[in-house]
Amino acid sequence: MPLGGGNKCGRCSKTVYFAEEVLCDGRSFHRSCFLCMVCRKSLDSTTVAVHMEEIYCKACYGKKYGPKGYGYGQGAGTLSMDKGESLGITPEIPGPHCPTNNPNPSKLAQKFGGSDKCPRCGKAVYAAEKVIGAGSSWHKVGCFTCATCGKSLESTTLSDKDGEIYCKGCYGKNFGPKGFGYGLGAGALAHTQ
């Protein structure tokens, strides 16, 4: 504590005595000096926002340093055209658009416009409709079905062969073991020649 009885005020630089001291961001202020830099509203610990040694109320801080544009208003559905010139903000002038010279390195993304191709219908598969099975992306509705019987599948109930997907039953009939004792149910006998 410096000589003279107290710390110096962060606003007026005069001595702040204990009875009138407000602490903020490691600095002392008189209660009467603890005001927003813009609107001069009295502040407290719940309404103060600090930026580069300056103190603001949260509303002025948001207008001066917060996000700008559609959807960042003061309430639901608010659109403000205030660009903050009254707060000393200079609007940014966007530079010219420069397209990138670095194309997407993925060959699949280049070929199909950034999305995978469904092996069943050959159309693009977007994230909202994608199911992964047999190492490929499929449309969940209409394409992620058994190649033999058309039954709708889930990623845990499918079997695949040569990039095509089947239900467990059709896979067993078409590609499972054949011969004596390999029936479809318990105790079934099959005689194949």
Side-chain angles (χ1 to χ4, degrees):
M1 188 179 298
L3 294 176
N7 296 320
K8 299 295 180 192
C9 178
R11 174 70 53 96
C12 71
S13 300
K14 295 181 181 175
T15 302
V16 180
Y17 295 99
F18 183 73
E20 59 185 353
E21 184 176 41
V22 177
L23 293 172
C24 176
D25 200 35
R27 296 183 296 152
S28 297
F29 293 89
H30 294 106
R31 277 193 211 289
S32 59
C33 292
F34 198 55
L35 305 171
C36 174
M37 296 288 290
V38 176
C39 70
R40 312 291 296 161
K41 185 169 99 177
S42 182
L43 302 171
D44 62 32
S45 63
T46 62
T47 59
V48 69
V50 180
H51 183 78
M52 306 282 290
E53 304 269 327
E54 296 178 342
I55 56 174
Y56 301 92
C57 68
K58 289 191 176 182
C60 290
Y61 177 85
K63 287 177 188 172
K64 190 165 183 173
Y65 300 109
K68 305 288 185 274
Y70 181 77
Y72 291 106
Q74 296 296 318
T78 302
L79 176 60
S80 173
M81 299 308 286
D82 178 18
K83 295 190 184 338
E85 286 92 358
S86 65
L87 301 173
I89 299 171
T90 55
E92 290 182 23
I93 300 169
H97 174 69
C98 298
T100 180
N101 292 330
N102 183 16
N104 188 338
S106 166
K107 297 291 183 200
L108 191 65
Q110 287 176 5
K111 189 173 182 182
F112 302 113
S115 61
D116 298 331
K117 183 179 175 186
C118 177
R120 181 72 45 86
C121 69
K123 295 180 182 175
V125 182
Y126 299 102
E129 58 190 359
K130 182 182 345 187
V131 179
I132 297 176
S136 299
S137 297
W138 304 74
H139 292 107
K140 183 172 178 72
V141 178
C143 295
F144 200 61
T145 58
C146 175
T148 304
C149 70
K151 178 180 169 185
S152 183
L153 300 172
E154 294 180 15
S155 60
T156 58
T157 62
L158 68 89
S159 295
D160 68 285
K161 173 105 170 139
D162 300 326
E164 194 54 80
I165 55 176
Y166 302 91
C167 67
K168 298 277 186 193
C170 290
Y171 182 87
K173 287 179 195 172
N174 295 325
F175 308 108
K178 306 278 188 276
F180 182 77
Y182 290 104
L184 293 176
L189 297 177
H191 182 68
T192 57
Q193 296 183 8

